[in-house]
Amino acid sequence: MRVEQITSHQIDRSKPLTFIFNNKKYKGFEGDTLASALIANDALLFARSFKYGRKRGLMAAGVEEPNALVSLEMGGRYTPNLKATEIPLYDGLSAKSATNPHSFDLRAFIKPLHRFMPAGFYYKTFIKQAVWAKVEDSLRALSGFSEAPTQEDVDVYDHVHHHAEVLIVGGGAAGMSAALEVLKNSDSERVILVDERARLGGELFNEFASDEAAAIWHEEGVADLCGFAKEQSDRFTMLTRATAYAWHDQNYVEVLETHATGENLSLTNGSQVRKTLHKIRAKKVILATGAHERPMLFEANDLTNIMLSQSVRRYLNEFGAVSGKKVVVYGNNDSIYQTAQDLHRCNISCTVIDVRSAGATNSIADKTRQGGIKVMQGYAIVKAHGSDKVDGIDVALAVRQGVSWEVIGESESLSCDLLATSGGFNPVVHLDCHTGAKATFDEVSQAFLPQKERPNRQTCGAVSGVGAWHDAVIDAKNKAQLTLQSLGVVSEVNNAELGENHSNYYNVGEFFTPAAIIERPKVFLDLQNDVTTLDVALSIREGYRSIEHIKRYTAMGFGTDQGKTGNINGIAVAAAILGKTMPEVGTTTFRPAYTGVDFGALAGRENGGLFDPQRYTTIHDSHVAKGAEFEVVGQWYRPWYYPKTGENIHQAVHRECLAARTSLGMMDASTLGKIDVQGPDAREFLSRVYTNAWMKLAPGSCRYGLMCNEKGMIIDDGVSTCIGDNHFIMTTTTGGAASVYSTLEMWLQTEWNHLDVHLNSVTDHYSTIAVVGPNARNLMKLLCQDVDFDRESFKFMQWRPGIVCGVSARIMRISFSGELAYEINVEANYGRYIWDQVATVGEKWNITPYGTESMHVLRAEKGYIIVGQDTDGSMTPADVNMNWIVANNKPFSFIGQRSFSIAALSAENRFQLIGLLTKDASVVIPEGAHIIDNGGKSVGYVTSSYFSPMLGRSIAMAQMQGGLSKVGETTIVKIVQEKQGLKEIPCEISSSVFYDINGERVDGND
Amino acid sequence: MFLIHCPYCNEEREQEEFSPAGEAFIARPEAPEDISDEAWADYVFYRTNHKGDHWEQWVHSNGCRKYFMVERSTITHEILKVAAFGADISE
Ligand SMILES: [Zn+2]
């Protein structure tokens, strides 16, 4: 309900808004969050819990909320798993619970089985059962999170880089104070202040009703900061609705700023982007991240309308919203009295239950009593009642005995409709710990405080244990002074004194974890993951001791929650069960991201067409005109096949292959990597990086080379052309061009900087058109008159300069198909002209363009490997039956040579390249299928497999253990077929060369 | 997420412009065929994985494409020195 007498600091009652939640229409005000508006409408049920399907409501008012996950909007603006507490209300907002609390829920139906669902339940139940595949889908649907989006995000996200001298994270009293102190005492230092909420002030708004000074300080502070932001905008940036979610090395902080959650961007103040990811490099960081309240523990502490005390207070003071009329405030520190007084001031009936005995807390308790509020000191809540919602509690006496608590006596019942609890405060150390800081347990504040000293960072305010706002303001000024001093801006630091007992978090008592409480069922620690005290106890019984292991076994602190409310209580429970102290148990590791980050924001503008460079050859338009289908190879769009009307890929490839083998084919080979190698030591360099000999290769000749790494494994192959004694053009695989170039540079720059060799990537400088087939020579004679194409004068593996259709060209006689073939290299921009000329002149022989698929079939027929397909980084030249290319007698021990003599590389059971011929010639084995031996074990797998039009049968290449010694034997290849189980394909092991075994076709037939 | 000073470009640039290229001072043996399998394996596979100040190679892959050396603390990830190959790194 809405409390009318509250002067709300957030909502504007003159601006009503309408919104939809779980298909129902509600009204709220501008300034509301979705959560506060729903409280005002008494719509309290938000979710079904993850494991048990228990109904849950709001627990908190901010980023720490574990239950109220919703999805926002639909279609291209659908966003899953947002916290209702962090969604500012806008007109027309439409949201849906991640898990519908009103629908029938299987888990609620099996409620009596709860005790059978401890930590590891699903794992233990299903891992050995054949039913896993059947239940997996329905279990995953119960994950507790929203459905994943199905449509593309329609909005735009930006990345912005910043550099600053000082970054202040957190815009509460401490952060505001620190920013002002830095700004007022410096002239040119760049300052950035970020805060996750829409308005600066943090928890300070809570104090306005009871402390006029807070309201005045806040008003002046905001005015001053806005003044700086306006007048010194070149050095001061203020980001609100911006969460610093990750702190990386060297003070690199990532901040996600939300301009709009679900609104149509045309309705927001001109912003064209939904969210901006700020990448901030700061010399110094001041953390003013505050603290999260932790709940008290008791049975059924997860019932709807059991909330955190300071959150109840915040809904009341900031939004004038409260979800009960008869409130119990329960806790172990003085802050609960403030909540009670604020409620009482609004004529809401409330009772304070303080677990601490009367002695410690007399003055504030007495003052509260005098105000007319019932106060019970030394009492504990052992259990909450209620079905959908809390309707009462059982309380009993609590006594501190030495170092532990006990609950004694009979319990008595009290009724209530809202229960607010406070078990102390957890400093938000997440960000600080991202780069390795260790939080240390502090007895006085009963909290893990940030590591004392860290280079280039200060902490101030509640994150440092300083709870009261006026102390936080002073603390922040002191830390700002220290920051300025470390920047050399001020020479002396004026340290102001803080108030007495400033770091005891409202006289917080010890963790209340008596056995009488934590041995009960349904004492929830982590509400998002449904982890109870019994789960922690079980994990310890099963042998887990480290808190990191307990966390993983129970899933405590997983999900979007990241342990904000539950983890520290979990540590306290583990400590109680293990009989250890809090520091002995320690914390788990905090890792980025602190809150969820949209994929869209991470991608920024590098999305869709800008995700990766798209490379096209200069011939591309001719391929498109010819109706080519394309495939992407290392960013290049290569023609895959050229279907004629009505043809499928198989028919097209069949036609293309036969054309190349029987008459004439042509293909665009421009994408092969090309590296220009020049210098007096170019030959020596090639000799070092390739396995074969290069010293005697004459200008006018070409040579195929195989490149290995130092481990002796094949990494690339290609033909290099000798242009002159000091000049070669190396070609690499299309996909390997960049990495080969980089590797070659590494050798030249790091090991061999005495070699006079220079490399230049010239891949894009030349277009390469391959003409392939028995009529290739006839065609070349028509295209180029100044070269003698006679088979004896222009031999295989030679090149000649010539004029092709008026264009200066390098013509290489090389072949990747085994057929007579020439590759015409021209300056790139002549590529399409030459291609079209070749196509026209070649019509005489029905010249047929072919793509990568036919190229693969043609090369496989000849047993030519594709590095990266038939090899995988663990294959030596010997493994692929290419020892003929290894020259072991070169003076310089080439890259990888030494590894060949290691015994393991000549072991008999190494995977070796073989061919497979299926007994049924029409069966084409799927690539990746496994070869199975008599014992049923996998001994290899198929790397390339095609139907060969020329041979009229299927052919396959495979890696098989000891395969080269098994040629001629029969083996079985097994494949898994969808819904049909295993299929066995009998094959004969063969050589990997299937066609033209003696290599007679390369000279042509004239 | 480092800021790295390229000694060739003489500018501090984002890490995303660079690629790491392994530990520095791993010299290729002069006569690989004359050394033991163990010595060769030590060169090919074994690295110190040092905890503390550590010299490593980086390449300005999306910049000048030059390889250079960086001394970095593997504990704090602070970059202590950068040096071109052949530069005096003694101080
Ligand atoms: Zn550079």
Side-chain angles (χ1 to χ4, degrees):
Chain A
M1 63 183 177
R2 199 75 81 167
V3 182
E4 294 306 324
Q5 66 264 46
I6 285 275
T7 323
S8 166
H9 301 280
Q10 303 287 6
I11 60 167
D12 183 346
R13 290 178 198 254
S14 70
K15 292 181 181 156
L17 304 171
T18 310
F19 66 100
I20 293 165
F21 178 65
N22 285 342
N23 301 322
K24 263 183 85 175
K25 208 172 216 179
Y26 297 97
K27 280 193 172 9
F29 294 114
E30 186 155 309
D32 261 323
T33 63
L34 176 59
S36 70
L38 285 167
I39 286 182
N41 281 285
D42 297 315
L44 303 176
L45 288 181
F46 259 94
R48 289 278 192 181
S49 77
F50 164 60
K51 210 156 77 176
Y52 302 127
R54 288 170 71 86
K55 290 182 180 178
R56 297 271 169 80
L58 286 160
M59 176 178 170
V63 64
E64 72 274 32
E65 169 59 37
N67 296 327
L69 296 182
V70 301
S71 61
L72 198 59
E73 303 304 335
M74 315 233 274
R77 202 157 276 128
Y78 172 88
T79 312
N81 301 323
L82 292 169
K83 292 164 191 138
T85 52
E86 292 196 300
I87 301 172
L89 204 62
Y90 55 88
D91 204 40
L93 176 149
S94 165
K96 198 178 146 209
S97 289
T99 51
N100 190 339
H102 302 292
S103 66
F104 171 78
D105 190 292
L106 181 72
R107 291 160 298 192
F109 184 69
I110 56 168
K111 235 175 182 174
L113 298 177
H114 283 176
R115 61 198 176 92
F116 298 121
M117 291 174 73
F121 170 77
Y122 288 130
Y123 177 77
K124 288 172 182 164
T125 309
F126 294 114
I127 194 64
K128 285 183 184 163
Q129 313 270 339
V131 295
W132 174 250
K134 297 198 177 83
V135 298
E136 186 181 357
D137 275 356
S138 47
L139 284 176
R140 294 213 187 280
L142 302 178
S143 67
F145 294 109
S146 302
E147 285 167 31
T150 53
Q151 288 186 32
E152 198 172 322
D153 193 328
V154 295
D155 287 317
V156 173
Y157 301 81
D158 256 341
H159 289 180
V160 178
H161 291 258
H162 301 265
H163 292 262
E165 273 65 46
V166 185
L167 167 66
I168 298 131
V169 181
M176 287 172 63
S177 169
L180 283 167
E181 188 73 4
V182 171
L183 288 165
K184 285 175 179 169
N185 292 288
S186 63
D187 301 315
S188 58
E189 278 62 31
R190 294 162 299 178
V191 181
I192 300 174
L193 173 65
V194 301
D195 190 70
E196 66 191 8
R197 297 187 189 172
R199 292 178 64 197
L200 294 178
E203 298 289 322
L204 194 57
F205 295 101
N206 265 334
E207 312 299 330
F208 290 6
S210 52
D211 185 351
E212 203 185 345
I216 294 168
W217 186 89
H218 178 260
E219 193 180 341
E220 288 175 359
V222 170
D224 284 355
L225 286 166
C226 290
F228 276 109
K230 205 173 156 198
E231 283 148 31
Q232 301 188 20
S233 59
D234 53 334
R235 74 155 180 141
F236 180 49
T237 308
M238 208 158 65
L239 301 173
T240 52
R241 292 180 71 187
T243 305
Y245 66 86
W247 185 354
H248 299 287
D249 297 315
Q250 301 183 357
N251 283 0
Y252 171 64
V253 179
E254 290 184 327
V255 175
L256 183 64
E257 183 189 14
T258 303
H259 306 291
T261 36
E263 303 95 310
N264 192 327
L265 289 180
S266 61
L267 305 176
T268 60
N269 358 320
S271 177
Q272 297 297 307
V273 292
R274 177 161 305 283
K275 297 187 181 186
T276 303
L277 176 52
H278 296 272
K279 301 179 166 192
I280 301 176
R281 294 277 181 183
K283 292 215 166 62
K284 309 286 171 187
V285 177
I286 299 176
L287 289 180
T289 46
H292 292 149
E293 198 167 32
R294 56 181 176 249
M296 292 294 287
L297 300 178
F298 46 88
E299 184 176 341
N301 61 339
D302 66 324
L303 288 174
T304 298
N305 245 11
I306 298 178
M307 297 172 72
L308 291 168
S309 159
Q310 289 300 306
S311 298
V312 169
R313 208 175 157 220
R314 193 175 154 202
Y315 283 119
L316 180 72
N317 289 325
E318 289 193 33
F319 305 99
V322 66
S323 56
K325 292 180 177 134
K326 192 174 181 195
V327 188
V328 168
V329 189
Y330 171 51
N332 68 347
N333 63 79
D334 292 352
S335 75
I336 55 175
Y337 293 94
Q338 296 172 319
T339 305
Q341 286 165 8
D342 287 356
L343 288 163
H344 187 71
R345 201 176 296 119
C346 297
N347 301 319
I348 295 163
S349 146
C350 72
T351 303
V352 176
I353 301 175
D354 189 338
V355 79
R356 298 168 299 172
S357 65
T361 52
N362 276 342
S363 78
I364 190 157
D366 290 348
K367 206 178 130 209
T368 306
R369 260 192 209 103
Q370 283 153 20
I373 298 170
K374 186 181 176 192
V375 175
M376 298 165 69
Q377 287 171 285
Y379 280 89
I381 298 179
V382 293
K383 182 180 180 179
H385 301 281
S387 52
D388 276 5
K389 230 176 105 193
V390 63
D391 60 18
I393 50 173
D394 291 349
V395 295
L397 279 170
V399 182
R400 183 85 180 158
Q401 301 275 25
V403 294
S404 56
W405 290 97
E406 275 179 33
V407 175
I408 50 174
E410 292 292 304
S411 61
E412 58 173 298
S413 290
L414 285 176
S415 68
C416 68
D417 61 1
L418 171 62
L419 174 53
T421 86
S422 176
F425 295 87
N426 300 333
V428 182
V429 296
H430 299 64
L431 213 54
D432 197 37
C433 295
H434 285 176
T435 51
K438 291 269 175 261
T440 48
F441 191 74
D442 175 65
E443 288 292 340
V444 176
S445 56
Q446 289 285 297
F448 283 94
L449 295 180
Q451 184 173 320
K452 284 258 182 312
E453 300 282 330
R454 286 281 280 171
N456 302 318
R457 90 79 169 101
Q458 298 286 345
T459 64
C460 61
V463 70
S464 303
V466 180
W469 76 270
H470 35 85
D471 285 326
V473 166
I474 299 168
D475 185 37
K477 282 187 181 178
N478 292 343
K479 302 297 172 53
Q481 287 279 335
L482 286 169
T483 302
L484 287 167
Q485 189 190 34
S486 67
L487 284 167
V489 176
V490 301
S491 49
E492 274 182 47
V493 172
N494 307 312
N495 241 330
E497 286 293 319
L498 276 65
E500 259 180 67
N501 300 329
H502 57 81
S503 64
N504 62 7
Y505 276 145
Y506 312 101
N507 297 309
V508 65
E510 293 87 353
F511 283 85
F512 189 67
T513 53
I517 297 286
I518 64 173
E519 286 172 4
R520 285 169 172 267
K522 297 176 205 162
V523 181
F524 286 88
L525 292 165
D526 177 336
L527 274 72
Q528 191 171 88
N529 297 294
D530 263 356
V531 179
T532 68
T533 51
L534 293 185
D535 291 321
V536 171
L538 176 73
S539 66
I540 290 168
R541 266 206 315 282
E542 295 195 354
Y544 296 95
R545 289 294 177 272
S546 155
I547 191 67
E548 294 281 9
H549 293 155
I550 293 169
K551 167 185 165 172
R552 278 156 186 78
Y553 193 59
T554 60
M556 180 172 75
F558 278 37
T560 69
D561 187 53
Q562 289 295 300
K564 290 181 182 67
T565 52
N567 257 23
I568 306 299
N569 276 339
I571 292 164
V573 168
I577 295 169
L578 290 165
K580 289 183 174 176
T581 62
M582 292 291 283
E584 282 168 347
V585 175
T587 61
T588 54
T589 309
F590 297 100
R591 294 186 178 85
Y594 171 65
T595 52
V597 182
D598 307 62
F599 282 116
L602 293 173
R605 304 266 178 161
E606 292 164 23
N607 202 351
L610 298 177
F611 175 68
D612 203 30
Q614 297 165 11
R615 306 176 79 183
Y616 302 96
T617 72
T618 59
I619 308 168
H620 188 77
D621 289 348
S622 290
H623 303 320
V624 173
K626 198 77 183 166
E629 296 288 334
F630 292 87
E631 72 167 337
V632 182
V633 185
Q635 299 172 340
W636 286 101
Y637 282 68
R638 300 195 70 178
W640 185 18
Y641 59 101
Y642 296 79
K644 290 193 167 175
T645 313
E647 272 186 343
N648 63 24
I649 182 171
H650 302 293
Q651 292 161 332
V653 167
H654 196 91
R655 174 178 52 76
E656 290 170 14
C657 288
L658 288 179
R661 289 270 183 239
T662 60
S663 178
L664 194 53
M666 65 189 289
M667 79 166 289
D668 181 357
S670 309
T671 63
L672 281 187
K674 296 182 262 309
I675 300 170
D676 199 72
V677 185
Q678 296 199 38
D681 294 318
R683 283 174 188 283
E684 171 66 21
F685 177 65
L686 292 180
S687 298
R688 291 181 177 197
V689 297
Y690 278 127
T691 61
N692 49 345
W694 292 83
M695 297 313 278
K696 290 176 188 153
L697 185 68
S701 295
C702 311
R703 185 163 285 172
Y704 173 78
L706 198 59
M707 195 182 287
C708 293
N709 57 21
E710 286 284 43
K711 301 177 188 84
M713 305 303 160
I714 298 165
I715 57 168
D716 198 62
D717 69 345
V719 171
S720 292
T721 301
C722 182
I723 307 293
D725 275 326
N726 297 342
H727 188 191
F728 292 78
I729 292 180
M730 170 190 284
T731 62
T732 71
T733 53
T734 297
S739 70
V740 168
Y741 182 48
S742 185
T743 303
L744 298 180
E745 278 289 357
M746 183 197 72
W747 286 117
L748 284 176
Q749 289 184 33
T750 64
E751 281 282 344
W752 306 330
N753 49 19
H754 54 280
L755 289 187
D756 193 353
V757 180
H758 299 270
L759 306 180
N760 194 14
S761 168
V762 293
T763 302
D764 311 25
H765 296 202
Y766 301 102
S767 287
T768 307
I769 296 136
V771 295
V772 179
N775 285 312
R777 186 176 288 121
N778 298 331
L779 174 74
M780 289 310 296
K781 284 177 182 169
L782 290 188
L783 291 171
C784 173
Q785 276 76 47
D786 62 341
V787 171
D788 178 1
F789 286 96
D790 185 80
R791 64 191 291 169
E792 291 310 318
S793 43
F794 188 174
K795 290 183 178 161
F796 182 52
M797 296 311 273
Q798 289 187 329
W799 77 276
R800 297 287 179 264
I803 305 294
V804 177
C805 304
V807 176
S808 173
R810 287 181 183 138
I811 303 162
M812 282 85 173
R813 221 196 111 185
I814 55 182
S815 178
F816 194 42
S817 58
E819 294 296 324
L820 172 66
Y822 299 87
E823 290 190 358
I824 308 166
N825 284 269
V826 291
E827 279 186 40
N829 288 342
Y830 291 109
R832 193 178 175 200
Y833 167 71
I834 297 296
W835 174 273
D836 290 345
Q837 291 294 313
V838 169
T840 307
V841 176
E843 274 173 18
K844 201 173 159 183
W845 297 282
N846 190 25
I847 192 164
T848 303
Y850 66 86
T852 49
E853 191 65 22
S854 294
M855 176 190 83
H856 280 161
V857 176
L858 296 170
R859 65 90 201 173
E861 287 172 342
K862 286 290 295 175
Y864 296 153
I865 60 164
I866 300 247
V867 173
Q869 175 166 342
D870 302 299
T871 70
D872 63 358
S874 69
M875 312 296 295
T876 66
D879 295 336
V880 295
N881 207 12
M882 284 175 73
N883 257 344
W884 54 269
I885 203 170
V886 177
N888 277 321
N889 49 359
K890 292 193 278 185
F892 187 90
S893 178
F894 62 82
I895 301 296
Q897 181 179 355
R898 174 62 183 83
S899 288
F900 297 151
S901 54
I902 288 169
L905 293 202
S906 46
E908 280 180 5
N909 64 346
R910 285 188 66 78
F911 284 89
Q912 292 165 335
L913 185 74
I914 45 121
L916 288 176
L917 293 169
T918 52
K919 297 282 185 189
D920 178 348
S922 67
V923 172
V924 179
I925 313 170
E927 287 173 359
H930 278 253
I931 302 168
I932 306 298
D933 72 4
N934 292 335
K937 285 182 80 173
S938 168
V939 291
Y941 54 93
V942 175
T943 58
S944 294
S945 180
Y946 310 95
F947 187 84
S948 162
M950 213 51 206
L951 297 167
R953 61 154 302 121
S954 79
I955 54 171
M957 290 157 83
Q959 298 291 353
M960 184 180 186
Q961 285 187 299
L964 287 171
S965 62
K966 298 191 171 74
V967 171
E969 294 178 17
T970 295
T971 190
I972 297 290
V973 172
K974 277 192 183 174
I975 56 170
V976 180
Q977 293 174 305
E978 204 175 348
K979 292 183 181 144
Q980 291 176 41
L982 279 176
K983 181 184 175 187
E984 294 192 353
I985 305 172
C987 302
E988 184 192 319
I989 302 167
S990 70
S991 150
S992 55
V993 183
F994 303 97
Y995 179 70
D996 180 32
I997 291 159
N998 298 322
E1000 290 151 348
R1001 299 193 58 83
V1002 75
D1003 273 334
N1005 41 21
D1006 58 322
Chain B
M1 307 287 174
F2 311 145
L3 277 181
I4 299 173
H5 182 95
C6 172
Y8 294 95
C9 298
N10 206 17
E11 276 197 29
E12 202 156 67
R13 310 290 298 182
E14 286 282 342
Q15 184 185 334
E16 51 198 54
E17 290 187 12
F18 300 84
S19 307
E23 188 175 337
F25 308 125
I26 305 293
R28 188 170 200 260
E30 297 254 337
E33 304 304 316
D34 299 341
I35 63 173
S36 65
D37 282 359
E38 287 70 23
W40 180 250
D42 187 54
Y43 155 68
V44 175
F45 295 106
Y46 289 88
R47 296 296 178 265
T48 55
N49 195 19
H50 179 65
K51 183 178 180 180
D53 299 349
H54 176 251
W55 277 100
E56 57 201 12
Q57 301 181 139
W58 285 77
V59 56
H60 198 178
S61 40
N62 291 315
C64 63
R65 303 199 60 105
K66 283 286 196 181
Y67 284 79
F68 57 95
M69 295 185 291
V70 172
E71 189 187 28
R72 180 177 64 94
S73 164
T74 58
I75 302 167
T76 65
H77 300 301
E78 189 186 355
I79 291 180
L80 307 163
K81 286 176 198 159
V82 292
F85 280 95
D88 181 13
I89 57 160
S90 57
E91 30 177 302

